Amino acid sequence: MFGLGFLEVFPLVLIFVSLFGIITTNNAIKTIIYMTILNAGVITFWIILGSEYGTTTLPPIMVDDIISQTNYLERMADPLPSALMITAIVIGFAVTAVLIIILISIFRRYRSTDWRVIVPLAKKDYKGEFKPFEEDIPATPYPAKGKGPIISEYIKYPGPGLKREEKGGVK
Amino acid sequence: MLPYFVIVPVLMAIFLFIFTSVKSSRVVAIFFQLILVGFSGYLVYLTRSESILEFVGSTDNFLSIVLYAFDFNTILIGLTTVLFLVVIIYNFHQEQGKMFWLLLFIWQAVLLGILLSRDMFNIFVMMEVAGVVVTMLIMTKRKTRSIYDAIFYLLANVLAVQFFLLGMAYVYRLTGTLDLHLIAERLALVAQEDVTQLYLPYALVMTPIAFKCAMVPMSIWVPKAHGSPGAPTGVSAILSGMYIKCAVYLFITFQGVFAPVANHAFFVILGAVTAISGAIMAMSNHNAKAILAFHTVSQVGLIIFGVSLGMGDGYYSDYAMLGGLYHLVAHALFKSTLFLTAGIIKRSYGSLDAYVVRGVLKRMPIVGTAMGLAILGIMGAPFFIGSISKYYIAYGNDRFSLFFWLNIIIGLATIISFIKYGAMLFGKDPGIKGEHPKIDKPRLISVLIWSTLSLFGGLFGAQFINYSFESYVYRQSAGYGATANGSLLTTFTGDYMLGMAGYYEKAIWWILSVVVGYLLFRYVVKGNKVLKKLSYLDMGIKGIATCILVFFAALLISVGFM
């Protein structure tokens, strides 16, 4: 189908799985994870493009070991996709870092990583009805003076924060 | 010369980042920006006679990054540099911090890079970087709702751009190159053998571009990004003025590259739907920034409508294409003016509610006049900038055809949504005061520059179109990458100055639309409960991901069947 080779099916499976995940998950952290899987799938697809001879593909380096093999020029991998994908990987890394930074800000403001909580609170915020939480979460993940590690603070507010309403946080 | 358009803004960004606290550093920035504006003007002049091609990194077409300046993209480059100059002047006194200036100038470099680049991977990189930069500019005030807007925008953007990367892989597989001209040549050869091979890459590449053009159903990110309350006004002005136009530029480019399979009818219909739905959403809101943001959706829909009408084969119409391209410039002018004046109103009144703010004309006469000019322009009043572009789009079709009526409906929807916005100019001053009731001079100057430009764009519209787009539209009809540069189409000449009879007819249509629009606004739109429910529409990241997939599937199916 669409002229796909055998190997190219695997990255497409990755892509479809991640798209399914993005559409179904309620957890913002998982959304970001699925996004990186999607990126990885696309990058793998590119890399496989450059090596149509499968496992017998040779690296594009002119050394004696490789030159001595039969049909070495034809069997060499296309170096351009690898060169381009290095850039794509770096960009993907940077984007993921920015996404996580924003997610930390979101968590500080809305105290949840669940889209079902974040979206209604953002709507309230838009209308000016949202009251920011008074107590502040420490900025660093390292133990502050006389306090335990912040990681436990995060665990206190579990992902699907739907029970927040019972605690009186959200009104 | 071309690489300096990308390098100089980056150097300026670093310079301003280091010397932000020194106030004279901004004078230096304005000076350099003026030089950039001068060079882009020179580039516009040069490309009237022949296009400029420069290879960066190597002299080979395959290995180097190709920068390409031709008669269409240099106009956009000029517009970008002038808009950034205006925004720098606008923010002259504002203490935005180091990051603001760094990001602003890098953004300019990236935008100029998108416009100049003829390499597909380069465009991908620029799109990604622009996404991150815009996100960080939106969330300048981190302790507001802007952070939600930022994560929504970035996630949706990253998802859409992955489609572009995948589509590029398919294109590379089919053609073995990433240079757009070579791709266009080779795809034509591939299409001669088996045209079905192009369906999937076409749908994959066009989906993210349509996302960036804010087509229905993916347009929900625009009010979040452009109308985010925490985002600086200058950023909103550039987002609506120029950034979305870069997406339209990419749209036109890639429709040309994929000419054998390009589905123009699909985008004509979708453009009209986008235009009408954007205007309806604009009617439902009463926050000035949200109205303007939804209105951007509507106007970009109109541009896509005109451009697609122009590029289609069966109903080829050069006038619609010219109208679409000129509306691109016109919208950049009046929408930026409106955003900048909205920023001043917010500082003066402390509110942006279109039902609360009244009497702008009395409190701030110059700002009010600039805003009034822009509103008349956007409504398409006779002798204003919007009227000429809308005239070309409407009369590029057969008189009283379906497209003509669609155009009238879009104009009517625009007028209704702007009657509410225009009411802010008049009435009794509510007496509320914001943090900075006094207007600082740089802001006033910047608004004045920009609104004067939009006024002159209306008065000398026909000449401007003649100078800037005629040769490009001629080459478009000859096919992507045709090298017949400078051969101005003679059949248009003389037809360009709108005949007075046509103008009277247009004026009558406009007055009729205003009357009907006012009546509709007074008795149907105002206080409508259904519209009120629409005013805050949020489908979440899952919803927008579904929308992108639905759009992709619809485009793929439509290409297969049409």
Side-chain angles (χ1 to χ4, degrees):
Chain A
M1 195 184 170
F2 298 121
L4 288 176
F6 170 68
L7 273 177
E8 283 155 11
V9 174
F10 292 104
L12 286 185
V13 169
L14 270 184
I15 290 167
F16 281 120
V17 166
S18 57
L19 284 177
F20 177 76
I22 290 167
I23 289 174
T24 49
T25 185
N26 280 319
N27 191 329
I29 296 173
K30 281 184 185 167
T31 308
I32 295 176
I33 293 173
Y34 280 124
M35 215 60 106
T36 48
I37 293 176
L38 176 63
N39 196 10
V42 177
I43 286 168
T44 321
F45 187 82
W46 263 96
I47 300 292
I48 289 173
L49 268 190
S51 52
E52 52 186 309
Y53 282 81
T55 47
T56 60
T57 308
L58 297 172
I61 316 163
M62 288 292 191
V63 290
D64 288 345
D65 277 1
I66 292 171
I67 292 176
S68 61
Q69 300 209 25
T70 49
N71 286 344
Y72 70 94
L73 272 180
E74 277 180 20
R75 281 167 56 198
M76 267 185 188
D78 184 355
L80 189 69
S82 314
L84 297 182
M85 283 312 110
I86 284 286
T87 319
I89 289 166
V90 172
I91 295 173
F93 163 73
V95 167
T96 312
V98 173
L99 277 174
I100 290 170
I101 288 168
I102 307 174
L103 191 61
I104 291 173
S105 288
I106 289 230
F107 184 80
R108 291 245 175 83
R109 188 165 177 83
Y110 300 129
R111 298 293 153 88
S112 174
T113 53
D114 192 315
W115 291 122
R116 287 169 295 180
V117 179
I118 295 171
V119 174
L121 285 183
K123 188 175 176 178
K124 275 189 178 177
D125 209 353
Y126 179 80
K127 292 176 178 168
E129 296 163 1
F130 175 73
K131 262 189 177 176
F133 294 85
E134 279 175 9
E135 87 269 28
D136 201 20
I137 295 178
T140 59
Y142 304 107
K145 277 177 193 169
K147 279 188 179 175
I150 179 64
I151 193 78
S152 62
E153 295 281 320
Y154 280 86
I155 292 168
K156 265 189 209 167
Y157 304 103
L162 286 179
K163 289 177 185 170
R164 292 206 49 76
E165 214 146 337
E166 296 164 17
K167 291 176 193 168
V170 184
K171 275 178 188 168
Chain B
M1 180 164 120
L2 297 183
Y4 294 107
F5 277 92
V6 184
I7 295 167
V8 169
V10 173
L11 292 178
M12 276 157 70
I14 296 166
F15 169 79
L16 271 173
F17 183 72
I18 297 170
F19 298 106
T20 313
S21 50
V22 190
K23 210 156 202 179
S24 52
S25 70
R26 284 174 214 170
V27 179
V28 178
I30 288 174
F31 177 70
F32 271 101
Q33 188 66 28
L34 271 172
I35 292 176
L36 209 58
V37 170
F39 270 101
S40 59
Y42 182 56
L43 205 59
V44 170
Y45 169 73
L46 279 183
T47 47
R48 287 314 99 189
S49 51
E50 59 178 320
S51 50
I52 304 168
L53 198 60
E54 275 185 31
F55 301 100
V56 183
S58 160
T59 50
D60 194 330
N61 219 353
F62 285 90
L63 298 177
S64 60
I65 292 172
V66 185
L67 296 181
Y68 182 51
F70 58 105
D71 37 11
F72 175 39
N73 71 355
T74 46
I75 297 283
L76 295 182
I77 288 168
L79 211 58
T80 311
T81 48
V82 179
L83 180 53
F84 270 89
L85 175 69
V86 167
V87 170
I88 294 165
I89 297 173
Y90 185 87
N91 282 313
F92 189 76
H93 283 317
Q94 207 166 353
E95 301 299 332
Q96 296 278 18
K98 286 181 172 188
M99 284 311 276
F100 176 78
W101 293 101
L102 181 78
L103 291 170
L104 193 72
F105 277 90
I106 287 181
W107 192 19
Q108 186 184 8
V110 168
L111 284 191
L112 294 177
I114 289 178
L115 289 171
L116 279 173
S117 182
R118 213 179 72 177
D119 182 276
M120 212 169 159
F121 190 75
N122 220 8
I123 290 173
F124 160 77
V125 173
M126 299 286 183
M127 268 157 73
E128 282 275 59
V129 175
V132 174
V133 168
V134 169
T135 308
M136 289 167 81
L137 280 171
I138 292 171
M139 52 178 268
T140 309
K141 290 178 189 165
R142 209 183 281 185
K143 288 194 171 175
T144 59
R145 177 183 161 270
S146 297
I147 48 167
Y148 174 69
D149 297 333
I151 201 167
F152 185 87
Y153 172 71
L154 190 57
L155 274 172
N157 198 44
V158 171
L159 177 60
V161 173
Q162 295 305 321
F163 277 77
F164 191 80
L165 195 56
L166 192 59
M168 190 160 52
Y170 267 99
V171 170
Y172 184 71
R173 208 181 124 105
L174 285 174
T175 62
T177 177
L178 290 172
D179 178 75
L180 286 180
H181 274 210
L182 290 174
I183 289 174
E185 281 172 18
R186 293 180 185 182
L187 282 185
L189 293 177
V190 172
Q192 280 174 6
E193 280 179 21
D194 180 13
V195 78
T196 53
Q197 285 187 26
L198 300 190
Y199 292 169
L200 195 57
Y202 174 70
L204 281 170
V205 168
M206 287 316 284
T207 304
I209 291 172
F211 170 84
K212 294 226 164 206
C213 291
M215 307 287 281
V216 162
M218 303 177 285
S219 43
I220 199 67
W221 66 270
V222 175
K224 293 196 191 312
H226 296 200
S228 183
T233 315
V235 173
S236 303
I238 299 171
L239 270 171
S240 261
M242 221 40 240
Y243 184 53
I244 205 161
K245 305 303 172 351
C246 289
V248 177
Y249 167 75
L250 288 179
F251 174 82
I252 297 169
T253 309
F254 279 96
Q255 287 283 70
V257 168
F258 284 95
V261 282
N263 189 349
H264 299 294
F266 182 78
F267 284 107
V268 168
I269 297 164
L270 218 64
V273 173
T274 308
I276 294 168
S277 67
I280 290 172
M281 294 297 284
M283 283 174 216
S284 69
N285 268 282
H286 52 90
N287 181 302
K289 252 185 159 180
I291 294 175
L292 293 178
F294 274 118
H295 215 272
T296 301
V297 176
S298 162
Q299 297 298 297
V300 172
L302 184 62
I303 294 170
I304 298 276
F305 174 74
V307 165
S308 296
L309 268 179
M311 286 197 292
D313 277 337
Y315 31 83
Y316 189 86
S317 164
D318 288 336
Y319 284 102
M321 179 89 183
L322 282 171
L325 294 182
Y326 191 51
H327 201 64
L328 205 143
V329 175
H331 183 255
L333 291 172
F334 49 60
K335 189 50 72 64
S336 310
T337 312
L338 286 173
F339 264 114
L340 294 178
T341 48
I344 296 175
I345 290 172
K346 168 85 182 174
R347 281 165 77 90
S348 174
Y349 284 80
S351 167
L352 268 178
D353 196 324
Y355 287 133
V356 173
V357 177
R358 285 286 179 273
V360 175
L361 210 50
K362 212 169 187 184
R363 196 191 276 197
M364 301 177 284
I366 298 174
V367 176
T369 315
M371 196 173 134
L373 288 179
I375 289 175
L376 283 174
I378 209 167
M379 279 171 144
F383 304 108
F384 284 92
I385 190 163
S387 72
I388 293 176
S389 47
K390 286 183 180 177
Y391 178 90
Y392 274 114
I393 296 174
Y395 292 84
N397 311 298
D398 292 336
R399 197 64 58 85
F400 304 116
S401 64
L402 170 69
F403 297 128
F404 178 84
W405 289 114
L406 267 178
N407 210 354
I408 294 287
I409 294 170
I410 294 168
L412 186 65
T414 309
I415 286 169
I416 296 174
S417 57
F418 265 90
I419 283 172
K420 182 167 61 182
Y421 198 86
M424 289 203 291
L425 286 172
F426 311 105
K428 196 178 164 231
D429 199 318
I432 45 174
K433 288 233 163 84
E435 289 170 17
H436 307 272
K438 212 177 157 213
I439 320 165
D440 46 356
K441 272 190 187 132
R443 275 161 204 271
L444 217 54
I445 294 168
S446 60
V447 170
L448 266 182
I449 296 174
W450 210 229
S451 63
T452 322
L453 275 178
S454 78
L455 185 65
F456 278 112
L459 292 177
F460 301 103
Q463 284 87 344
F464 183 83
I465 292 178
N466 210 345
Y467 184 71
S468 48
F469 296 129
E470 195 178 27
S471 59
Y472 173 71
V473 171
Y474 170 65
R475 285 189 300 113
Q476 269 288 324
S477 56
Y480 183 82
T483 47
N485 228 329
S487 50
L488 290 169
L489 193 57
T490 45
T491 49
F492 282 151
T493 341
D495 224 356
Y496 258 109
M497 287 303 290
L498 305 173
M500 270 337 258
Y503 226 105
Y504 286 137
E505 195 189 326
K506 164 85 188 156
I508 291 166
W509 272 113
W510 188 75
I511 292 166
L512 264 179
S513 304
V514 169
V515 172
V516 175
Y518 182 75
L519 291 175
L520 276 175
F521 173 72
R522 187 77 185 73
Y523 296 106
V524 181
V525 175
K526 209 173 179 185
N528 193 318
K529 280 177 187 165
V530 182
L531 277 179
K532 205 174 178 187
K533 272 186 186 168
L534 273 178
S535 68
Y536 185 87
L537 196 66
D538 191 354
M539 45 176 82
I541 188 67
K542 292 194 287 180
I544 191 100
T546 317
C547 282
I548 292 173
L549 282 179
V550 167
F551 182 90
F552 167 70
L555 185 57
L556 192 60
I557 291 167
S558 77
V559 174
F561 279 101
M562 280 182 184

